[in-house]
Amino acid sequence: MGMGRLVLLGFALIVGTVNAAAWMDDQASRSKAYLLDNIAPPGAAKGSVVASPSRQNPDYFYHWIRDAALVMDAIVTSYLKEADSGEKALHEQRLKDYVRFSRQNQTTANPSDYEVSGGMGEPKFEADGTAYQRGWGRPQNDGPAICAITLIRLANHWLDKGRDPEVRGTLYDGKVPTHSVIKADLEFVAHHWNETCYDIWEEISGYHFYTRLIQRRALVEGAKLADRLGDGGAASFYRAQAAKLEPLIETHWNESKGVLVPTFGRDRGVHYKTSDIDTAVLLAILHSTGSDGYFSVDDDRVLSTLERQIRVFQALYHVNQKGYGATAMGRYPEDLYDGNGSSQGNPWFLTTLAVAEMHYRIANRLEARGQFNRSLRNGPFLDSLGQSSIHHFRGADLANLIAKTRARGDAFLGRACFHGVKDGRFAEQIHRDTGFMQGANDLTWSYASFLTAYWQR
Ligand code: NOJ
Ligand code: NOJ
């Protein structure tokens, strides 16, 4: 990191957030540019998103279904926000290319075909769109659900604009068998949610909070879209499946540990993950936000989990004991993946940025609700914000709580950026002792994570 940026960020971290906005705006435009560099770069097919340009140590030059869907979700947001018609048209073309490429993935024979998921849970494809033939943790059934959530946003926007034929053509044709991407993903989710699969970290097969919550969200939003398009039978089927997932999702709360448990029913994969601390749970909340408020950010089970995780990672990494500000967050404490091989796990950009986004979303939600009450479960979160003595937050107390929550979000955002380099580039990880970047350079998902946090701010 260049000294100028370090001093600037150090200053922002120390004096608080008064002049924080300028460097954040700057980081946002850089993040956007670097993210775009990884959409269909030279050597990759149109519509693909590479996880990173890195082709060796590690080789991340693949189209991961999950990473791509999360990155394209940021593109949908950019598209909806964009005022300039030229820029908007470029985003629309990227989205159309992504739709075509995703449909091609769905119909490309791949190793998941002869495993349980009928090919749709395949986690990644070669950047040219051909199947990845070597061994991998497959299937990963969150992918189709995230892709559906992203494209349903696009479909709803196009329907608002009267573009029904395009929606019915490529996105949701309401037919079985289908020729459209959202319908295929929803049919897959609706028929396979009760199967074990690998988690988002690609290491453990079982039933995951992340996957289940995302699947439920895809089915709920999918049902609304199906209704909008006159596919009522499918809508009630999707709703019924979502309703079956709900009691299972509830079982992930462990009252005595005070956390949402990431995985049950492990049947394959690594065995050393025992703490039940996993930031995938927080990502689940962020990636499944919806208007029904199901598992929203201010749910006291979520706040309890969030605070527990921060405390665990604060104590775990040497780099968190150096007074650099808010906690650099990892995936889970027992993690051994160092970004290229197996040695020791590290903090990640995207998880630290997710905690920033959590705080902004909590603040926004409290603002919308206009009141908040202390509970046994959310107490530690409130304590960490210096709010130990207040039980009912209203008026000035609430305003103060909201301001403190946002400021803590800024501290996490600042913390992630502190470990970037001077031109605002983010890799996958941050070395747990030295604080230097580590693992795949220019991880596309890291940039998307900055943008989604920044937009919430
Ligand atoms: C690569 C996966 O992407 C990563 O999540 C995992 O930790 C390592 N392989 C080790 O299995
Ligand atoms: C490893 C991560 O664990 C996984 O979530 C991600 O999809 C891949 N790397 C690609 O970025």
Side-chain angles (χ1 to χ4, degrees):
M1 156 174 275
M3 260 338 256
R5 190 175 155 89
L6 193 135
V7 169
L8 182 69
L9 285 176
F11 186 71
L13 291 173
I14 290 159
V15 303
T17 58
V18 197
N19 285 318
W23 72 261
M24 286 186 197
D25 294 347
D26 180 58
Q27 179 64 53
S29 47
R30 289 171 192 271
S31 296
K32 210 173 208 174
Y34 299 147
L35 180 150
L36 290 176
D37 286 346
N38 293 349
I39 297 182
K46 247 196 215 170
S48 68
V49 179
V50 295
S52 150
S54 177
R55 287 172 183 264
Q56 52 185 3
N57 303 323
D59 183 3
Y60 268 40
F61 200 78
Y62 298 98
H63 177 90
W64 258 271
I65 303 296
R66 167 178 39 259
D67 298 49
L70 294 170
V71 167
M72 292 315 283
D73 195 65
I75 296 293
V76 171
T77 303
S78 300
Y79 171 66
L80 298 180
K81 281 179 185 283
E82 187 59 65
D84 179 273
S85 61
E87 289 298 317
K88 201 178 171 86
L90 289 174
H91 282 320
E92 179 159 319
Q93 193 53 51
R94 290 179 187 114
L95 288 164
K96 287 178 171 167
D97 292 343
Y98 170 66
V99 166
R100 204 173 315 107
F101 190 75
S102 297
R103 181 65 194 145
Q104 184 193 322
N105 295 156
Q106 289 177 338
T107 55
T108 296
N110 66 66
S112 286
D113 282 339
Y114 45 81
E115 301 189 20
V116 282
S117 75
M120 296 274 295
E122 182 66 1
K124 66 174 184 180
F125 286 81
E126 300 284 347
D128 67 2
T130 56
Y132 178 76
Q133 298 292 357
R134 281 166 283 165
W136 206 250
R138 57 166 69 91
Q140 296 176 16
N141 294 349
D142 59 302
I146 314 176
C147 182
I149 292 169
T150 294
L151 292 179
I152 288 169
R153 293 180 67 210
L154 178 66
N156 281 321
H157 176 70
W158 280 358
L159 290 177
D160 292 343
K161 299 279 169 203
R163 295 168 62 173
D164 299 38
E166 282 162 283
V167 172
R168 288 176 195 279
T170 60
L171 294 179
Y172 191 100
D173 61 10
K175 294 182 185 138
V176 180
T178 178
H179 296 285
S180 59
V181 60
I182 297 174
K183 181 74 180 172
D185 281 336
L186 290 175
E187 286 296 312
F188 171 74
V189 174
H191 287 97
H192 296 271
W193 57 263
N194 206 19
E195 292 162 15
T196 59
C197 66
Y198 275 85
D199 70 318
I200 71 164
W201 307 136
E202 319 192 283
E203 295 175 328
I204 292 192
S205 172
Y207 294 110
H208 313 289
F209 182 79
Y210 182 94
T211 307
R212 282 176 158 169
L213 200 66
I214 296 293
Q215 288 172 327
R216 178 196 170 273
R217 176 59 58 201
L219 291 166
V220 167
E221 301 306 322
K224 284 190 220 158
L225 179 67
D227 269 337
R228 248 188 123 170
L229 291 164
D231 195 10
S236 33
F237 180 62
Y238 299 156
R239 257 185 215 107
Q241 304 315 303
K244 288 184 197 168
L245 269 162
E246 285 169 14
L248 299 170
I249 293 169
E250 303 289 326
T251 65
H252 285 259
W253 170 247
N254 181 320
E255 184 78 52
S256 60
K257 286 193 173 179
V259 297
L260 289 157
V261 173
T263 299
F264 288 128
R266 187 187 79 87
D267 55 15
R268 283 182 291 167
V270 307
H271 51 79
Y272 48 77
K273 202 177 159 182
T274 52
S275 66
D276 287 337
I277 298 290
D278 187 343
T279 47
V281 166
L282 306 180
L283 297 174
I285 305 300
L286 295 178
H287 300 165
S288 70
T289 313
S291 53
D292 59 10
Y294 189 73
F295 272 96
S296 75
V297 289
D298 62 334
D299 184 307
D300 60 6
R301 295 167 294 182
V302 174
L303 292 176
S304 174
T305 306
L306 171 65
E307 197 54 37
R308 279 286 306 138
Q309 298 199 353
I310 292 171
R311 291 180 188 191
V312 168
F313 287 115
Q314 175 59 37
L316 183 67
Y317 300 131
H318 177 65
V319 75
N320 283 335
Q321 269 92 66
K322 293 188 174 180
Y324 291 154
T327 304
M329 303 286 294
R331 301 195 296 182
Y332 58 92
E334 307 87 343
D335 198 357
L336 297 177
Y337 181 54
D338 61 17
N340 187 33
S342 191
S343 60
Q344 52 175 14
N346 293 301
W348 283 40
F349 284 94
L350 71 92
T351 50
T352 306
L353 292 165
V355 171
E357 181 172 345
M358 286 294 295
H359 283 81
Y360 297 140
R361 283 185 183 265
I362 293 163
N364 296 342
R365 175 91 178 163
L366 297 187
E367 207 156 57
R369 283 180 47 172
Q371 55 163 55
F372 191 67
N373 294 329
R374 187 183 179 95
S375 70
L376 270 172
R377 292 173 185 170
N378 67 27
F381 173 78
L382 293 170
D383 293 348
S384 75
L385 294 166
Q387 306 294 300
S388 309
S389 57
I390 301 168
H391 285 256
H392 304 285
F393 293 87
R394 312 273 186 281
D397 288 336
L398 183 70
N400 183 40
L401 173 61
I402 292 169
K404 290 229 156 77
T405 306
R406 284 215 175 97
R408 199 174 184 221
D410 285 351
F412 279 96
L413 200 74
R415 181 61 202 265
C417 296
F418 177 76
H419 296 280
V421 283
K422 68 173 181 319
D423 51 358
R425 292 186 183 269
F426 299 149
E428 182 183 72
Q429 309 187 9
I430 298 160
H431 191 282
R432 60 151 81 192
D433 300 319
T434 67
F436 285 108
M437 295 202 290
Q438 155 120 7
N441 64 288
D442 295 287
L443 190 83
T444 324
W445 186 1
S446 296
Y447 295 129
S449 302
F450 181 88
L451 289 171
T452 55
Y454 171 81
W455 287 327
Q456 284 302 317
R457 185 181 193 269

